[in-house]
Amino acid sequence: MTTEPKDRPLPREPLGEPQLRRLVVGQGLAAVVDALFLVWLTLFVLELSEPGIATGFVLVAVALPRTALLLPAGVLVDRVGAARVVVGASWLRVAVLLALGALVTFASPSVTSVALLAALLGVADAAYFPAALALLPAVVPAGKLSRVNALVQGAESGGDLVGPAVAAGVVAAIGFEATLGGIAVLAALAALALTALHRAIRNGGDCEGPRDDAGPDAVDGEQLSSARALGAGLAYAWREPLVRGMLAAVALINIAVVGPVIVGGAVLADQRLGGAGALGIVLSGFGAGALAGSLLAGWRPPTRRGWTVVGGVAAIGAGVAGLAAAPHVVAATAVVSLVGLGSAFLGVVIVATLQERVPERLRGRVLSLVVLATVAFDPFSYTIAGVLLPYGTTTLFVVCGSAVLACAALVAASPAIRSLR
């Protein structure tokens, strides 16, 4: 069963403890590094080759290992501890960025060599993401989880909002080599902050790793295999109505929102809103809304979280459906901003709830499922958008928005979620 959170005495300041400051700085910088590097990588591959399959090949090289290794990484987090995995993944990211920088500076890299190094970054991401989420409840008191999650996710949303412009501007000003060097420095600063946090946890005797020699998945003193440990995590997520409902909501929102907003938004911009420039404005609105939603969730954590989840899912569905009727770029930007706000607010609430209530021994595996539900279904979302687009953008937005609204009704029917406070 899920466990009820137990609050510890809190200082008044949201980040009044050094460990919390290290955590927010480290994870916030890591989120900015991800946003900047993705833009750098896309621009650099376009510089190496003509636009087309090469760019997609490199981006797939990052995405495939990240998606494939997320669930095994969740087992690793539960086996060896979130802080150790976060630190190892952070320094692996630094090493890969330095290797890529050396390749770019002193050699003539091919698309294949860049893709191989990019794949190593995908491996680092697969380990880092669930470990970073599992690390928060090991450091952050339960009453502060929403606020700290909001700050970290706010840094991510802020990086997504300004990252493209900043990365493109810096590349134009100082070149690819120097820009990548700056990104590597930021990654090293993030790794240093997280390493200092790990040392503080270890020295304080509050290590979040396995508590005894048998480990967290021992049965009669015998350690389960990794496959059986993963199966135990999946079985727990399926068996618990609260976890199952929240994971289903995250997955469905990802499927029904990402493709329609990006692919459908591009077609809508071309047909009705005024062209490619309008699409940039609309997507910036989504980023701004996501940033506001993250910060709002931390500033005003909801007291009735169950109904907040229901209302958030419904608002996202209504926003996607509402794009069908957006007559101009201002209205479309306003609607998409609300979708971004609702998505980010909901993300903070769901993640904080699972961090509080999932047993520590299963936390890495369950949170790896959250990350998987967030990132793994993008291809399906794009495919659905492509299948529905021939019937018009109105059909696309109404069908996908209605699917999210139906999900809100199903979530509302769950007593475990309705009663959540």
Side-chain angles (χ1 to χ4, degrees):
M1 294 181 64
T2 52
T3 57
E4 292 294 330
K6 295 181 180 179
D7 287 342
R8 299 187 299 222
L10 309 178
R12 283 189 176 184
E13 298 82 359
L15 300 177
E17 300 170 5
Q19 289 92 331
L20 300 192
R21 291 196 292 271
R22 294 185 185 108
L23 178 70
V24 172
V25 169
Q27 293 197 9
L29 282 175
V32 172
V33 166
D34 282 340
L36 294 176
F37 178 74
L38 182 62
V39 177
W40 181 94
L41 181 64
T42 303
L43 294 174
F44 185 70
V45 175
L46 288 173
E47 181 78 7
L48 286 180
S49 62
E50 293 296 322
I53 193 170
T55 305
F57 171 65
V58 174
L59 295 179
V60 168
V62 178
L64 276 181
R66 181 174 60 198
T67 302
L69 296 175
L70 271 173
L71 296 185
V75 175
L76 181 67
V77 170
D78 289 333
R79 285 273 168 86
V80 307
R84 295 187 185 96
V85 177
V86 162
V87 170
S90 297
W91 285 112
L92 175 59
R93 182 180 290 158
V94 173
V96 174
L97 289 173
L98 291 176
L100 184 58
L103 182 68
V104 170
T105 303
F106 301 112
S108 299
S110 65
V111 171
T112 301
S113 61
V114 172
L116 289 174
L117 286 172
L120 285 177
L121 280 177
V123 173
D125 286 346
Y128 177 85
F129 290 148
L133 291 179
L135 179 58
L136 263 69
V139 178
V140 180
K144 287 185 178 179
L145 276 172
S146 290
R147 282 175 283 178
V148 176
N149 272 298
L151 289 173
V152 173
Q153 292 189 34
E156 182 177 348
S157 297
D160 291 338
L161 179 61
V162 304
V166 170
V170 174
V171 166
I174 63 176
F176 285 105
E177 296 86 351
T179 301
L180 183 58
I183 294 172
V185 168
L186 291 178
L189 291 174
L192 287 171
L194 294 169
T195 301
L197 172 64
H198 180 212
R199 288 175 180 166
I201 296 172
R202 186 178 57 201
N203 294 339
D206 186 21
C207 184
E208 79 299 332
R211 301 297 182 184
D212 52 51
D213 293 337
D217 292 308
V219 176
D220 296 329
E222 197 172 314
Q223 185 76 32
L224 293 181
S225 68
S226 295
R228 291 180 65 192
L230 177 57
L234 295 173
Y236 169 84
W238 178 256
R239 188 173 61 247
E240 288 295 324
L242 176 64
V243 178
R244 184 175 67 240
M246 287 189 167
L247 287 173
V250 171
L252 183 59
I253 288 171
N254 189 61
I255 292 172
V257 172
V258 173
V261 168
I262 295 179
V263 179
V267 176
L268 185 68
D270 182 63
Q271 293 179 349
R272 193 190 305 170
L273 305 182
L279 177 62
I281 295 172
V282 171
L283 295 181
S284 295
F286 183 90
L291 177 59
S294 298
L295 298 179
L296 181 61
W299 179 51
R300 292 277 186 181
T303 55
R304 297 176 63 88
R305 280 192 274 188
W307 285 111
T308 299
V309 171
V310 173
V313 176
I316 293 168
V320 173
L323 277 173
H328 46 69
V329 68
V330 174
T333 303
V335 170
V336 169
S337 298
L338 290 175
V339 172
L341 188 149
S343 299
F345 192 98
L346 193 63
V348 171
V349 172
I350 288 177
V351 168
T353 300
L354 295 178
Q355 286 169 335
E356 291 174 5
R357 295 171 183 265
V358 172
E360 182 180 359
R361 64 184 180 85
L362 294 165
R363 199 176 282 153
R365 280 163 282 183
V366 172
L367 292 173
S368 72
L369 287 169
V370 175
V371 181
L372 186 68
T374 303
V375 304
F377 295 105
D378 287 359
F380 297 100
S381 184
Y382 293 132
T383 300
I384 289 171
V387 169
L388 292 176
L389 265 177
Y391 301 97
T393 54
T394 298
T395 299
L396 170 67
F397 293 131
V398 169
V399 169
C400 292
S402 298
V404 179
L405 287 170
C407 177
L410 292 174
V411 170
S414 168
I417 294 180
R418 262 200 332 268
S419 61
L420 180 63
R421 294 183 182 273

